[in-house]
Amino acid sequence: MRYLVFCIVLLFTARITLAQPIYAGRYKTIFTAPPANVPTVKTPDAPLAGNGDIGVTFGGQPGKLQLFFGKNDFWRAYPVYPGGGIALPGGLDLAIDALKGAAYYAEQVPDKAIIHANFTKGPAKVTIDSWVAATRNTVVIEITANTTCTIQPTLWATEGNTSINNKGVTGNVTWATRSFENTPLLEWPCHVALAMRIPGNNGANDKIIVTPGEKKIITVTMYTNNDRSDWKTAAIEEAQSLTTAVIQHMYAEHLQWWRRFWQQSTVQIDDPVIEKYYYTSQYLFACASRAGKFAPGIWGPFITKDSAAWGGDYHLNYNYQAPYWAAYSSNHIELTHNYDQPLLDYMNKGKIHAKELLQVNGIYFPVGIGPKGLCTTRWPLTPEEMLARYGTTDNRIDSGYKFLGQKINAVFGAGNMLMRFYSTYDTEYAQRIYPYLIACAGFREDYLKLENGRYVIYMDHYYEVMPNLRNNGRWRHQLGDVNSTLSLGLVKMLFKGMIEVSTFLKKDLHRWARWQDIVNRLSPFPVGETGGRLSLQPVERSPVERLQQPTGLSRVSIHGLLLPGGVCGPVTDSAFNTILLNDVAHWKDRMQQKGEWGNTLNNGIETCFPAAVRVGYDADEILRQQKDRITVQSFPNGFITQGGGGMETLSAVPMTVNEMLLQSYEGVIRIFPNWNHNRDASFSKLRAYGAFLVSSSLRNGRIELVKLQSEKGRTCVIQNPWPGKTVQCIRNGKKTAILSGQRFSFDTKANETIILKAI
């Protein structure tokens, strides 16, 4: 019997392992027409590639292709947008006269992270493969043709917006630079160099003659002064070193990096549409985020214009945080290494804001920041510009910074930190984020009011409150929210997290009693009656009448309660969860058209769908609604588009699916918690709270087994995957304990693998 169990485990593991590269590769995206939304200040609709720092947007027509090169660390560090924010370094034009009017075909291939394009005109066919080296600062373009053709490459750096530009030729390298410096209010200088090399061409600016049977290669190497102080020299010298042999080695490293990435986890749910967006979303986020690099802003490195919408900044009332959410449970922790740095860098300014504007301790953050302590969200610098854009001349609101009535932004930023901590229980990481968390706690300890035995939150608004042209600059009458569900949920999340992290690190234990008191006596989430049932109310009190009505669970309240808040759900409070579940059931009542379930056409697809899973809404209906939403508003490259942002939608499908297959909030692991058990599914190495990697499969209505890999040797608490049955625990191939009950727990050892199987 032991041998049979061992064989089943081997077959299960082998099936998933062998499927990993296949699943990433099978879901390539196909383009049969040139992109129509390039250049743009928002998400491009073109084929995309990247290495978590450099992004390539493959634009243009066959006769004149245009590759746009974005870079996460190239910013105009100016505190007002438009004008400030992430900037476009430049690009490469490829003029191919023989392909004017040619048929367009391109593929975005996720397993190899390449853009594969074919252009045909009559018998002529040109193939162009483009990729961004996973381990280098270089873009590679490989060109083959079945007939002789001429290509004129033109490297360019974007001009304007106060930049200083230069270009030249050094040996066989063509280069272009762009710099922002010596401008009033610029917080730090930023420089970028683009260096092009065409191995085999004698002259740097020569036309490329492609003949049948040969491959021509163009490389573009990019460095900024944030990469290294000798940014220009480094780009040119590295470009000069790129021989054909070096490029081949670089490609082998590139494939190896992506192979490891796809092996970190996998899911199979036998739904081609959802699986395609699951893997494409993972691909695009991996193209946009990487350890040791600047974090991606709203549009990631897929920048095709200066003055991107909202400056392409780090918007802290969900846009910045959301793209990372699925990476934790998908076991792509390395993609989240860059998240914390902008928040840590802004702490000094945040402390000044708290003291000067609110006379409290801790940190207070505006709605938008950038890297290296940059504030991107100042009001316009002149009353005249303020009047033109916002309907009032008062540009000294909150000393000129956009807080927009919300005091929750710093705590909102802590949500991702806690998600990663619970997922890894990494001591070094806990020590890194602890100063930030304790500063958030200090602010809230000072700001909360204890009244009639409960803690109350004043003037922390549910929605952004600000002057604009629609209200003719009249907005102060909207101030006055009391106990916003957004703030209540995130504050509870913070103090529950403070207790856990401080206990883990054995720090500030004398403050534990106060934090627990806040958790216990924080005002309850407001509810009211509508249509004969209880429903969530956005705030307890507000001068805005509609916010005092029980309008139900929605995107903003979800942020506080469920994601990233994590303080509600069936495990936490089943009675309150019933109210939230009923609210989700009534989302259909407000639909005006197919695809707007949860009111997610403007914002919220990354929030509402996984929240519906968490509260226990019907899984099949959620997937149907999500597919309708994708059909209504998405691009061929896999981006699901919405009004308020870009990168955040990349967590929508992965987070929804992961939550269906595995949940672990409140430290309780649940296997296939919200999945139709009549549909086969499997997953491998999804990450659960407690630092566990979990694998399982569901076949013919039955969970076959559960495999747990314990990274840190913590106690595992799991809801019985086989209700009413006893469970055999197998450690290192040997049967040990017999487990029973609705929920059971057992100790583990670091790096131990445990198999659970129903008896």
Side-chain angles (χ1 to χ4, degrees):
M1 181 64 182
R2 180 184 304 166
Y3 176 75
L4 177 60
V5 170
F6 181 66
C7 288
I8 291 172
V9 172
L10 280 179
L11 287 171
F12 170 68
T13 306
R15 178 171 62 231
I16 290 180
T17 301
L18 292 173
Q20 287 169 346
I22 297 171
Y23 259 68
R26 72 187 294 186
Y27 289 118
K28 62 188 178 184
T29 58
I30 295 174
F31 306 75
T32 57
N37 201 44
V38 175
T40 177
V41 297
K42 291 189 174 183
T43 301
D45 60 345
L48 303 171
N51 68 355
D53 177 29
I54 296 170
V56 170
T57 301
F58 194 86
Q61 304 282 333
K64 186 179 180 181
L65 297 171
Q66 194 166 38
L67 281 68
F68 296 82
F69 302 141
K71 203 165 186 303
N72 280 340
D73 63 352
F74 186 62
W75 285 65
R76 183 171 184 258
Y78 188 73
V80 181
Y81 56 74
I86 195 166
L88 175 65
L92 175 67
D93 293 346
L94 298 176
I96 314 173
D97 289 343
L99 290 183
K100 288 182 178 178
Y104 187 101
Y105 179 87
E107 297 174 349
Q108 184 178 279
V109 185
D111 59 331
K112 297 180 177 64
I114 65 171
I115 300 167
H116 175 72
N118 289 320
F119 307 104
T120 55
K121 186 177 181 181
K125 179 179 179 180
V126 176
T127 298
I128 300 178
D129 288 338
S130 308
W131 47 280
V132 187
T135 58
R136 306 281 188 95
N137 279 43
T138 296
V139 180
V140 180
I141 301 102
E142 302 173 307
I143 307 168
T144 58
N146 67 351
T147 186
T148 300
C149 68
T150 301
I151 301 173
Q152 178 63 65
T154 303
L155 183 73
W156 50 274
T158 310
E159 298 182 354
N161 199 19
T162 75
S163 72
I164 300 169
N165 292 63
N166 278 300
K167 59 184 177 180
V169 177
T170 301
N172 55 9
V173 173
T174 300
W175 54 265
T177 65
R178 190 180 192 204
S179 298
F180 294 109
E181 58 184 347
N182 302 325
T183 302
L185 295 183
L186 199 72
E187 296 209 8
W188 32 268
C190 202
H191 312 277
V192 67
L194 302 89
M196 179 178 72
R197 168 90 192 280
I198 306 170
N201 267 32
N202 293 325
N205 290 310
D206 284 355
K207 291 182 179 180
I208 302 172
I209 309 298
V210 185
T211 59
E214 72 167 341
K215 178 189 291 184
K216 286 292 187 179
I217 298 175
I218 305 172
T219 66
V220 179
T221 300
M222 297 174 61
Y223 278 109
T224 70
N225 60 316
N226 292 305
D227 291 314
R228 48 194 300 172
S229 59
D230 61 342
W231 50 279
K232 179 182 174 182
T233 301
I236 294 171
E237 290 182 351
E238 188 164 321
Q240 288 172 330
S241 72
L242 294 177
T243 63
T244 301
V246 171
I247 294 168
Q248 288 175 344
H249 178 70
M250 192 161 61
Y251 187 57
E253 290 179 336
H254 171 84
L255 292 179
Q256 184 180 25
W257 190 96
W258 282 96
R259 189 177 300 113
R260 285 197 302 264
F261 173 79
W262 292 118
Q263 289 173 345
Q264 287 169 342
S265 68
T266 191
V267 304
Q268 299 178 27
I269 60 172
D270 195 25
D271 186 321
V273 173
I274 294 297
E275 282 187 355
K276 177 180 178 179
Y277 279 87
Y278 184 95
Y279 287 106
T280 302
S281 297
Q282 306 265 21
Y283 163 74
L284 290 171
F285 189 55
C287 286
S289 184
R290 200 64 51 87
K293 303 296 184 179
F294 277 33
I298 295 177
W299 315 110
F302 308 119
I303 300 298
T304 56
K305 271 188 176 183
D306 277 357
S307 294
W310 297 284
D313 71 358
Y314 305 147
H315 244 55
L316 298 182
N317 54 3
Y318 100 93
N319 304 79
Y320 177 56
Q321 296 90 333
Y324 293 89
W325 289 341
Y328 304 108
S329 55
S330 295
N331 193 30
H332 296 311
I333 296 296
E334 81 287 351
L335 299 187
T336 73
H337 286 343
N338 54 23
Y339 169 81
D340 314 296
Q341 195 60 52
L343 298 168
L344 299 177
D345 288 345
Y346 202 82
M347 284 184 64
N348 287 337
K349 287 185 178 178
K351 291 176 182 177
I352 293 171
H353 296 327
K355 278 293 185 185
E356 292 185 351
L357 298 177
L358 299 175
Q359 295 77 53
V360 297
N361 293 308
I363 53 176
Y364 177 35
F365 279 20
V367 67
I369 64 172
K372 301 172 70 169
L374 173 68
C375 176
T376 58
T377 45
R378 296 281 299 274
W379 294 107
L381 301 177
T382 66
E384 293 76 18
E385 186 183 4
M386 184 75 181
L387 181 63
R389 291 176 57 192
Y390 296 102
T392 177
T393 58
D394 184 6
N395 66 337
R396 299 304 303 164
I397 301 165
D398 291 328
S399 294
Y401 292 87
K402 290 182 181 176
F403 292 91
L404 308 188
Q406 296 184 318
K407 298 176 176 65
I408 200 64
N409 292 314
V411 177
F412 214 144
N416 287 34
M417 296 178 181
L418 291 172
M419 290 174 76
R420 178 172 168 179
F421 170 73
Y422 293 139
S423 298
T424 63
Y425 279 87
D426 184 308
T427 301
E428 182 178 346
Y429 181 71
Q431 291 170 337
R432 171 177 166 80
I433 62 171
Y434 192 75
Y436 184 91
L437 297 179
I438 202 73
C440 288
F443 177 92
R444 286 293 159 178
E445 286 176 297
D446 282 0
Y447 193 74
L448 286 168
K449 304 296 182 186
L450 182 59
E451 297 177 352
N452 301 318
R454 64 172 185 154
Y455 290 96
V456 180
I457 301 175
Y458 287 97
M459 295 291 286
D460 193 355
H461 291 81
Y462 185 80
Y463 288 126
E464 296 174 350
V465 183
M466 60 184 287
N468 55 55
L469 296 178
R470 292 189 303 275
N471 60 29
N472 296 315
R474 300 183 180 91
W475 61 285
R476 293 187 184 277
H477 64 283
Q478 300 175 32
L479 296 172
D481 284 1
V482 178
N483 284 336
S484 156
T485 49
L486 171 66
S487 302
L488 289 172
L490 291 178
V491 169
K492 178 169 281 192
M493 169 204 76
L494 171 68
F495 284 106
K496 290 179 73 172
M498 287 307 311
I499 294 168
E500 182 71 15
V501 180
S502 68
T503 302
F504 179 75
L505 293 177
K506 298 180 174 59
K507 290 186 175 183
D508 295 308
L509 300 184
H510 65 284
R511 298 174 69 172
W512 189 90
R514 173 76 192 282
W515 296 338
Q516 187 63 58
D517 187 57
I518 291 172
V519 171
N520 293 342
R521 295 203 285 170
L522 195 64
S523 294
F525 304 123
V527 297
E529 187 171 322
T530 179
R533 65 180 180 89
L534 290 177
S535 178
L536 190 69
Q537 198 165 289
V539 302
E540 183 179 317
R541 296 198 307 275
S542 174
V544 181
E545 185 176 350
R546 63 189 173 89
L547 291 180
Q548 295 192 121
Q549 306 303 313
T551 53
L553 185 67
S554 63
R555 174 179 62 89
V556 178
S557 51
I558 287 169
H559 290 151
L561 306 185
L562 297 161
L563 185 66
V567 295
C568 296
V571 172
T572 310
D573 183 339
S574 59
F576 184 66
N577 188 75
T578 299
I579 296 173
L580 304 183
L581 179 59
N582 285 334
D583 282 344
V584 172
H586 282 79
W587 283 354
K588 286 183 179 180
D589 300 346
R590 301 182 182 182
M591 292 178 63
Q592 299 296 313
Q593 67 178 71
K594 183 178 179 179
E596 65 173 4
W597 191 67
N599 192 30
T600 59
L601 285 179
N602 186 52
N603 280 320
I605 184 173
E606 73 295 317
T607 305
C608 293
F609 285 91
V613 177
R614 176 69 64 85
V615 300
Y617 194 67
D618 180 74
D620 289 342
E621 180 63 17
I622 292 171
L623 294 179
R624 279 194 295 269
Q625 294 288 355
Q626 192 166 66
K627 283 187 277 192
D628 285 348
R629 170 63 178 82
I630 290 168
T631 300
V632 168
Q633 204 166 302
S634 63
F635 283 156
N637 56 24
F639 262 107
I640 307 167
T641 55
Q642 60 185 25
M647 288 292 295
E648 68 262 30
T649 67
L650 298 181
S651 67
V653 176
M655 193 65 177
T656 298
V657 172
N658 290 353
E659 283 283 312
M660 287 180 169
L661 305 182
L662 174 72
Q663 291 178 17
S664 58
Y665 74 100
E666 301 284 19
V668 180
I669 295 175
R670 304 170 73 212
I671 308 297
F672 296 105
N674 193 6
W675 183 258
N676 181 349
H677 282 216
N678 293 319
R679 298 179 59 176
D680 288 356
S682 65
F683 61 91
S684 173
K685 293 188 287 189
L686 292 183
R687 182 172 287 272
Y689 284 3
F692 297 101
L693 298 182
V694 185
S695 305
S696 188
S697 63
L698 177 67
R699 297 281 182 262
N700 300 317
R702 178 177 172 272
I703 296 175
E704 294 180 321
L705 55 83
V706 176
K707 178 181 177 182
L708 295 159
Q709 296 169 257
S710 174
E711 288 186 337
K712 297 299 169 65
R714 295 182 60 82
T715 298
C716 179
V717 181
I718 184 169
Q719 183 170 308
N720 192 339
W722 302 276
K725 294 186 177 181
T726 55
V727 177
Q728 178 70 66
C729 180
I730 304 168
R731 298 175 187 260
N732 302 317
K734 296 181 180 180
K735 294 180 181 179
T736 56
I738 301 294
L739 307 171
S740 62
Q742 183 179 354
R743 178 189 299 178
F744 43 77
S745 65
F746 49 87
D747 293 333
T748 70
K749 296 179 181 179
N751 302 314
E752 182 180 30
T753 298
I754 296 170
I755 303 296
L756 301 178
K757 194 172 185 299
I759 298 176

